[in-house]
Amino acid sequence: MGRATEQLADRCGPGVGGLLNATFGNAAELIIAILALQRGLGDVVKASITGSIIGNILLVLGLSVLAGGVKYKRQTFNRTAAGLGSTLLALSVIGLLVPAFYHHVAREAFSQGNISQAQEVRWEHELSLEISVVLFLVYALSLVFSLVTHRDTLLDKPENPDSQHNQKNWSIGKAVGILLGAAAGVALMSEFLVGAVEATAKALGLTRVFVGVVIVAVIGNAAEHSTAVLMALKNKMDLCMNIAIGSSIQVALFVAPLLVFLSYLFGSPMDLRFTLFEVLSVTLSAVVINLVAQDGESHWMEGVLLLAVYLILGIAFYLLPSS
Protein backbone atom coordinates (compact mmCIF):
# COMPACT_ATOMS: atom_id res chain seq x y z
CA MET A 1 0.00 0.00 0.00
CA GLY A 2 2.88 2.35 0.77
CA ARG A 3 4.54 1.84 -2.62
CA ALA A 4 1.25 2.21 -4.48
CA THR A 5 0.41 5.39 -2.57
CA GLU A 6 3.81 6.90 -3.36
CA GLN A 7 3.35 6.11 -7.05
CA LEU A 8 -0.08 7.77 -7.08
CA ALA A 9 1.28 10.82 -5.25
CA ASP A 10 4.09 11.12 -7.81
CA ARG A 11 1.54 11.02 -10.62
CA CYS A 12 -1.45 12.87 -9.14
CA GLY A 13 -0.05 14.90 -6.23
CA PRO A 14 0.17 14.43 -2.45
CA GLY A 15 -3.48 15.42 -1.93
CA VAL A 16 -4.86 12.68 -4.15
CA GLY A 17 -2.24 10.19 -2.97
CA GLY A 18 -2.97 10.87 0.68
CA LEU A 19 -6.72 10.71 0.09
CA LEU A 20 -6.50 7.33 -1.66
CA ASN A 21 -4.22 5.93 1.02
CA ALA A 22 -6.56 7.13 3.77
CA THR A 23 -9.57 5.73 1.91
CA PHE A 24 -8.13 2.28 1.34
CA GLY A 25 -6.49 2.27 4.76
CA ASN A 26 -9.77 3.21 6.44
CA ALA A 27 -11.51 0.48 4.47
CA ALA A 28 -10.17 -1.86 7.15
CA GLU A 29 -11.56 0.39 9.87
CA LEU A 30 -14.94 0.52 8.14
CA ILE A 31 -15.09 -3.24 7.56
CA ILE A 32 -14.11 -3.98 11.16
CA ALA A 33 -16.76 -1.54 12.40
CA ILE A 34 -19.50 -2.99 10.18
CA LEU A 35 -18.73 -6.53 11.35
CA ALA A 36 -18.72 -5.36 14.96
CA LEU A 37 -22.05 -3.57 14.47
CA GLN A 38 -23.59 -6.77 13.13
CA ARG A 39 -22.38 -8.57 16.26
CA GLY A 40 -23.89 -5.93 18.54
CA LEU A 41 -20.55 -4.45 19.62
CA GLY A 42 -21.65 -0.83 19.30
CA ASP A 43 -19.44 0.35 22.17
CA VAL A 44 -16.37 -1.20 20.52
CA VAL A 45 -17.30 0.51 17.24
CA LYS A 46 -17.51 3.96 18.83
CA ALA A 47 -14.31 3.35 20.78
CA SER A 48 -12.51 2.33 17.59
CA ILE A 49 -13.66 5.58 15.94
CA THR A 50 -12.16 7.54 18.84
CA GLY A 51 -9.00 5.45 18.73
CA SER A 52 -8.62 5.88 14.99
CA ILE A 53 -8.91 9.67 15.21
CA ILE A 54 -6.42 10.14 18.04
CA GLY A 55 -4.22 7.30 16.76
CA ASN A 56 -3.72 8.92 13.37
CA ILE A 57 -3.14 12.38 14.82
CA LEU A 58 -0.87 11.38 17.69
CA LEU A 59 0.60 7.93 17.03
CA VAL A 60 0.92 7.84 13.23
CA LEU A 61 1.97 11.46 12.83
CA GLY A 62 4.11 11.30 15.96
CA LEU A 63 6.07 8.30 14.68
CA SER A 64 6.38 9.93 11.25
CA VAL A 65 7.62 13.29 12.57
CA LEU A 66 10.05 11.55 14.92
CA ALA A 67 11.44 9.26 12.21
CA GLY A 68 11.70 12.05 9.66
CA GLY A 69 13.14 14.46 12.21
CA VAL A 70 15.92 12.05 13.16
CA LYS A 71 16.97 11.88 9.49
CA TYR A 72 16.34 15.54 8.59
CA LYS A 73 16.94 18.42 10.99
CA ARG A 74 13.97 20.41 9.64
CA GLN A 75 11.05 19.32 7.48
CA THR A 76 8.42 21.58 5.92
CA PHE A 77 4.86 21.12 4.71
CA ASN A 78 2.01 23.21 3.32
CA ARG A 79 0.56 25.36 6.10
CA THR A 80 -2.69 25.99 4.21
CA ALA A 81 -3.44 22.29 3.79
CA ALA A 82 -2.51 21.56 7.41
CA GLY A 83 -4.66 24.48 8.58
CA LEU A 84 -7.65 23.16 6.64
CA GLY A 85 -7.14 19.75 8.22
CA SER A 86 -6.99 21.28 11.71
CA THR A 87 -10.22 23.19 11.06
CA LEU A 88 -12.03 20.08 9.86
CA LEU A 89 -10.84 18.23 12.95
CA ALA A 90 -12.28 21.03 15.09
CA LEU A 91 -15.62 20.47 13.34
CA SER A 92 -15.42 16.76 14.14
CA VAL A 93 -14.84 17.66 17.81
CA ILE A 94 -18.04 19.73 17.75
CA GLY A 95 -19.86 16.79 16.15
CA LEU A 96 -18.80 14.61 19.08
CA LEU A 97 -19.28 17.23 21.78
CA VAL A 98 -22.87 18.13 21.00
CA PRO A 99 -24.44 14.65 21.38
CA ALA A 100 -22.46 14.00 24.59
CA PHE A 101 -23.45 17.27 26.24
CA TYR A 102 -27.00 17.03 24.87
CA HIS A 103 -27.35 13.74 26.71
CA HIS A 104 -26.22 15.18 30.05
CA VAL A 105 -28.08 18.47 29.72
CA ALA A 106 -31.29 16.95 28.40
CA ARG A 107 -31.33 14.14 30.97
CA GLU A 108 -32.02 16.62 33.75
CA ALA A 109 -34.79 18.25 31.74
CA PHE A 110 -36.29 14.87 30.86
CA SER A 111 -36.24 13.77 34.50
CA GLN A 112 -38.34 16.78 35.46
CA GLY A 113 -40.84 16.31 32.66
CA ASN A 114 -43.15 13.56 31.52
CA ILE A 115 -40.70 12.13 29.01
CA SER A 116 -40.09 8.39 28.78
CA GLN A 117 -36.63 6.89 28.44
CA ALA A 118 -37.60 5.49 25.05
CA GLN A 119 -38.50 8.99 23.85
CA GLU A 120 -35.16 10.31 25.14
CA VAL A 121 -33.23 7.60 23.27
CA ARG A 122 -35.22 8.27 20.09
CA TRP A 123 -34.41 11.98 20.22
CA GLU A 124 -30.71 11.23 20.77
CA HIS A 125 -30.73 8.95 17.72
CA GLU A 126 -32.46 11.63 15.65
CA LEU A 127 -29.88 14.21 16.76
CA SER A 128 -27.01 11.88 15.84
CA LEU A 129 -28.56 11.12 12.46
CA GLU A 130 -28.99 14.80 11.61
CA ILE A 131 -25.45 15.65 12.75
CA SER A 132 -24.17 12.75 10.63
CA VAL A 133 -25.83 14.27 7.56
CA VAL A 134 -24.12 17.61 8.24
CA LEU A 135 -20.69 15.99 8.77
CA PHE A 136 -21.10 13.88 5.64
CA LEU A 137 -21.96 16.94 3.53
CA VAL A 138 -19.04 18.93 4.94
CA TYR A 139 -16.65 16.10 4.09
CA ALA A 140 -17.96 15.99 0.52
CA LEU A 141 -17.54 19.76 0.16
CA SER A 142 -14.01 19.57 1.61
CA LEU A 143 -13.10 17.17 -1.21
CA VAL A 144 -14.45 19.64 -3.75
CA PHE A 145 -12.41 22.41 -2.10
CA SER A 146 -9.12 20.49 -1.93
CA LEU A 147 -9.33 18.57 -5.21
CA VAL A 148 -11.14 21.04 -7.48
CA THR A 149 -11.55 24.70 -6.56
CA HIS A 150 -8.34 25.20 -4.50
CA ARG A 151 -6.16 22.41 -5.78
CA ASP A 152 -3.27 24.73 -6.67
CA THR A 153 -3.42 26.50 -3.31
CA LEU A 154 -2.98 23.22 -1.48
CA LEU A 155 0.06 22.29 -3.58
CA ASP A 156 -1.70 19.30 -5.11
CA LYS A 157 1.03 18.60 -7.63
CA PRO A 158 3.43 15.69 -8.08
CA GLU A 159 6.37 15.63 -5.69
CA ASN A 160 9.88 15.34 -7.12
CA PRO A 161 8.67 14.87 -10.72
CA ASP A 162 12.23 14.67 -12.06
CA SER A 163 13.53 12.13 -9.56
CA GLN A 164 15.05 8.85 -10.66
CA HIS A 165 12.32 7.02 -8.84
CA ASN A 166 9.71 8.44 -11.17
CA GLN A 167 11.44 6.87 -14.16
CA LYS A 168 10.12 3.53 -12.93
CA ASN A 169 6.53 4.61 -12.38
CA TRP A 170 3.72 2.13 -12.13
CA SER A 171 0.62 2.89 -14.14
CA ILE A 172 -2.25 4.47 -12.22
CA GLY A 173 -4.32 1.35 -12.88
CA LYS A 174 -1.64 -0.90 -11.38
CA ALA A 175 -1.25 1.30 -8.28
CA VAL A 176 -5.02 1.46 -7.68
CA GLY A 177 -5.30 -2.28 -8.30
CA ILE A 178 -2.66 -3.03 -5.66
CA LEU A 179 -4.46 -0.77 -3.19
CA LEU A 180 -7.71 -2.64 -3.90
CA GLY A 181 -6.00 -6.00 -3.47
CA ALA A 182 -4.46 -4.94 -0.17
CA ALA A 183 -7.84 -3.68 1.07
CA ALA A 184 -9.42 -7.02 0.12
CA GLY A 185 -6.75 -8.86 2.09
CA VAL A 186 -7.39 -6.66 5.10
CA ALA A 187 -11.12 -7.32 4.78
CA LEU A 188 -10.48 -11.04 5.14
CA MET A 189 -8.31 -10.57 8.21
CA SER A 190 -10.88 -8.19 9.73
CA GLU A 191 -13.33 -11.06 10.06
CA PHE A 192 -10.86 -12.94 12.26
CA LEU A 193 -10.05 -9.81 14.26
CA VAL A 194 -13.64 -9.01 15.17
CA GLY A 195 -14.29 -12.63 16.07
CA ALA A 196 -11.41 -12.54 18.55
CA VAL A 197 -12.16 -9.20 20.19
CA GLU A 198 -14.46 -10.37 22.99
CA ALA A 199 -12.45 -13.47 23.87
CA THR A 200 -9.20 -11.52 23.90
CA ALA A 201 -10.61 -8.76 26.08
CA LYS A 202 -11.85 -11.30 28.64
CA ALA A 203 -8.64 -13.34 28.58
CA LEU A 204 -6.42 -10.29 29.15
CA GLY A 205 -8.82 -8.51 31.50
CA LEU A 206 -9.18 -5.54 29.14
CA THR A 207 -12.22 -3.33 28.86
CA ARG A 208 -14.04 -3.03 25.56
CA VAL A 209 -13.23 0.67 25.45
CA PHE A 210 -9.47 0.01 25.65
CA VAL A 211 -9.72 -2.75 23.05
CA GLY A 212 -11.59 -0.42 20.70
CA VAL A 213 -9.57 2.75 21.31
CA VAL A 214 -6.10 1.15 21.25
CA ILE A 215 -5.96 -2.41 19.92
CA VAL A 216 -8.60 -2.37 17.15
CA ALA A 217 -7.66 1.18 16.10
CA VAL A 218 -3.93 0.44 15.90
CA ILE A 219 -4.46 -2.72 13.85
CA GLY A 220 -7.05 -1.06 11.64
CA ASN A 221 -4.67 1.82 10.92
CA ALA A 222 -1.61 -0.30 10.20
CA ALA A 223 -1.59 0.81 6.55
CA GLU A 224 -1.41 4.49 7.48
CA HIS A 225 1.28 3.76 10.10
CA SER A 226 3.73 2.23 7.65
CA THR A 227 3.06 4.53 4.70
CA ALA A 228 3.20 7.81 6.65
CA VAL A 229 6.49 6.87 8.31
CA LEU A 230 7.93 5.81 4.96
CA MET A 231 6.98 9.13 3.37
CA ALA A 232 8.48 11.10 6.29
CA LEU A 233 11.76 9.21 5.88
CA LYS A 234 11.74 10.28 2.22
CA ASN A 235 11.12 13.91 3.27
CA LYS A 236 7.67 13.95 1.64
CA MET A 237 5.94 15.67 4.53
CA ASP A 238 2.99 17.00 2.51
CA LEU A 239 2.04 13.42 1.67
CA CYS A 240 2.73 12.31 5.24
CA MET A 241 0.48 15.03 6.69
CA ASN A 242 -2.25 14.28 4.13
CA ILE A 243 -2.19 10.62 5.14
CA ALA A 244 -2.20 11.10 8.92
CA ILE A 245 -4.52 14.11 9.27
CA GLY A 246 -6.61 13.16 6.24
CA SER A 247 -7.30 9.73 7.67
CA SER A 248 -8.54 11.19 10.96
CA ILE A 249 -10.76 13.63 9.09
CA GLN A 250 -12.18 10.84 6.95
CA VAL A 251 -12.95 8.70 10.00
CA ALA A 252 -14.67 11.58 11.80
CA LEU A 253 -16.57 13.10 8.88
CA PHE A 254 -17.18 10.09 6.63
CA VAL A 255 -16.76 6.73 8.37
CA ALA A 256 -18.62 7.69 11.57
CA PRO A 257 -21.66 9.17 9.77
CA LEU A 258 -21.71 6.23 7.34
CA LEU A 259 -21.79 3.79 10.26
CA VAL A 260 -24.73 5.70 11.72
CA PHE A 261 -26.57 5.35 8.40
CA LEU A 262 -25.73 1.64 8.11
CA SER A 263 -26.77 0.92 11.69
CA TYR A 264 -30.37 1.66 10.72
CA LEU A 265 -30.16 -1.08 8.10
CA PHE A 266 -29.08 -3.52 10.82
CA GLY A 267 -32.09 -2.57 12.94
CA SER A 268 -30.00 -1.21 15.84
CA PRO A 269 -29.45 2.54 15.36
CA MET A 270 -26.09 3.84 16.56
CA ASP A 271 -25.75 7.31 18.02
CA LEU A 272 -22.78 9.66 18.18
CA ARG A 273 -22.90 9.96 21.96
CA PHE A 274 -19.36 9.20 23.01
CA THR A 275 -18.16 9.17 26.61
CA LEU A 276 -16.88 12.45 28.00
CA PHE A 277 -13.37 11.02 28.26
CA GLU A 278 -13.41 10.02 24.59
CA VAL A 279 -14.60 13.49 23.62
CA LEU A 280 -11.89 15.04 25.80
CA SER A 281 -9.24 12.87 24.13
CA VAL A 282 -10.30 13.89 20.62
CA THR A 283 -10.46 17.54 21.68
CA LEU A 284 -6.95 17.49 23.15
CA SER A 285 -5.65 15.74 20.02
CA ALA A 286 -7.16 18.42 17.78
CA VAL A 287 -5.60 21.16 19.91
CA VAL A 288 -2.17 19.49 19.83
CA ILE A 289 -2.16 18.96 16.05
CA ASN A 290 -3.16 22.60 15.54
CA LEU A 291 -0.11 23.70 17.56
CA VAL A 292 2.18 21.39 15.59
CA ALA A 293 0.82 22.31 12.15
CA GLN A 294 0.52 26.09 12.48
CA ASP A 295 4.16 26.93 11.57
CA GLY A 296 4.44 24.68 8.52
CA GLU A 297 7.53 22.83 9.72
CA SER A 298 8.41 19.95 12.04
CA HIS A 299 11.32 18.43 13.92
CA TRP A 300 11.85 15.24 15.91
CA MET A 301 10.96 16.78 19.28
CA GLU A 302 7.42 17.50 18.06
CA GLY A 303 7.14 13.80 17.25
CA VAL A 304 8.16 12.97 20.82
CA LEU A 305 5.49 15.34 22.17
CA LEU A 306 2.75 13.77 20.00
CA LEU A 307 3.74 10.28 21.12
CA ALA A 308 3.84 11.40 24.75
CA VAL A 309 0.25 12.67 24.57
CA TYR A 310 -0.85 9.39 22.95
CA LEU A 311 0.90 7.38 25.66
CA ILE A 312 -0.75 9.42 28.42
CA LEU A 313 -4.20 8.91 26.88
CA GLY A 314 -3.50 5.20 26.32
CA ILE A 315 -2.57 4.71 29.96
CA ALA A 316 -5.73 6.50 31.05
CA PHE A 317 -7.92 4.34 28.78
CA TYR A 318 -6.21 1.21 30.10
CA LEU A 319 -6.93 2.17 33.70
CA LEU A 320 -10.44 3.43 32.93
CA PRO A 321 -12.94 1.12 34.67
CA SER A 322 -15.64 -0.47 32.54
CA SER A 323 -19.12 0.87 33.04
Side-chain angles (χ1 to χ4, degrees):
M1 291 187 77
R3 180 71 183 278
T5 300
E6 186 178 13
Q7 292 286 332
L8 287 170
D10 286 339
R11 288 291 191 88
C12 307
V16 174
L19 173 64
L20 289 175
N21 179 272
T23 300
F24 286 105
N26 283 331
E29 187 81 15
L30 182 60
I31 293 167
I32 292 171
I34 291 174
L35 293 173
L37 273 179
Q38 291 177 325
R39 295 171 187 250
L41 303 176
D43 50 353
V44 174
V45 172
K46 289 196 284 188
S48 69
I49 291 173
T50 302
S52 183
I53 295 173
I54 67 175
N56 279 297
I57 298 174
L58 302 177
L59 179 60
V60 176
L61 191 57
L63 287 173
S64 302
V65 171
L66 175 60
V70 170
K71 187 174 181 180
Y72 303 95
K73 185 174 181 179
R74 175 177 173 270
Q75 295 181 292
T76 60
F77 50 85
N78 188 308
R79 292 178 59 185
T80 303
L84 173 62
S86 300
T87 304
L88 289 172
L89 283 173
L91 172 64
S92 68
V93 169
I94 296 173
L96 298 183
L97 273 173
V98 171
F101 282 101
Y102 175 86
H103 171 75
H104 290 280
V105 172
R107 169 169 288 185
E108 182 179 353
F110 289 150
S111 63
Q112 297 175 355
N114 190 22
I115 304 296
S116 66
Q117 185 176 4
Q119 181 69 31
E120 177 185 353
V121 171
R122 184 163 63 250
W123 285 353
E124 288 184 355
H125 286 158
E126 290 179 0
L127 174 65
S128 296
L129 181 61
E130 291 164 2
I131 291 177
S132 296
V133 172
V134 174
L135 296 179
F136 197 88
L137 290 175
V138 169
Y139 180 71
L141 292 175
S142 73
L143 294 181
V144 175
F145 179 86
S146 59
L147 300 179
V148 181
T149 63
H150 289 68
R151 181 169 179 165
D152 294 335
T153 304
L154 301 180
L155 279 182
D156 197 10
K157 59 185 179 182
E159 296 192 19
N160 303 324
D162 299 323
S163 68
Q164 182 180 359
H165 171 75
N166 284 288
Q167 296 175 9
K168 300 179 180 179
N169 267 339
W170 294 350
S171 67
I172 294 179
K174 178 180 179 180
V176 173
I178 288 177
L179 284 175
L180 284 171
V186 170
L188 177 62
M189 298 309 298
S190 299
E191 175 67 30
F192 298 111
L193 174 66
V194 174
V197 164
E198 287 190 286
T200 301
K202 291 180 180 179
L204 299 179
L206 303 175
T207 64
R208 281 186 171 185
V209 172
F210 179 79
V211 170
V213 170
V214 178
I215 297 178
V216 173
V218 168
I219 295 174
N221 290 320
E224 289 93 334
H225 294 177
S226 59
T227 306
V229 173
L230 178 64
M231 294 304 104
L233 289 173
K234 294 186 177 183
N235 203 24
K236 297 185 176 183
M237 287 305 292
D238 278 319
L239 181 53
C240 174
M241 296 290 286
N242 277 323
I243 291 173
I245 299 180
S247 184
S248 291
I249 292 171
Q250 191 175 76
V251 169
L253 303 184
F254 175 75
V255 173
L258 183 59
L259 289 173
V260 172
F261 301 150
L262 292 175
S263 67
Y264 281 84
L265 298 179
F266 300 147
S268 55
M270 184 184 90
D271 57 43
L272 292 178
R273 180 169 60 84
F274 292 75
T275 65
L276 291 180
F277 191 73
E278 288 177 297
V279 172
L280 175 63
S281 299
V282 175
T283 303
L284 293 176
S285 300
V287 171
V288 170
I289 192 58
N290 182 66
L291 295 174
V292 170
Q294 64 182 352
D295 60 354
E297 61 181 58
S298 64
H299 48 75
W300 67 266
M301 190 60 195
E302 289 183 333
V304 172
L305 297 177
L306 290 172
L307 291 174
V309 176
Y310 184 77
L311 183 59
I312 291 171
L313 293 177
I315 293 172
F317 276 111
Y318 178 76
L319 297 175
L320 193 67
S322 58
S323 56

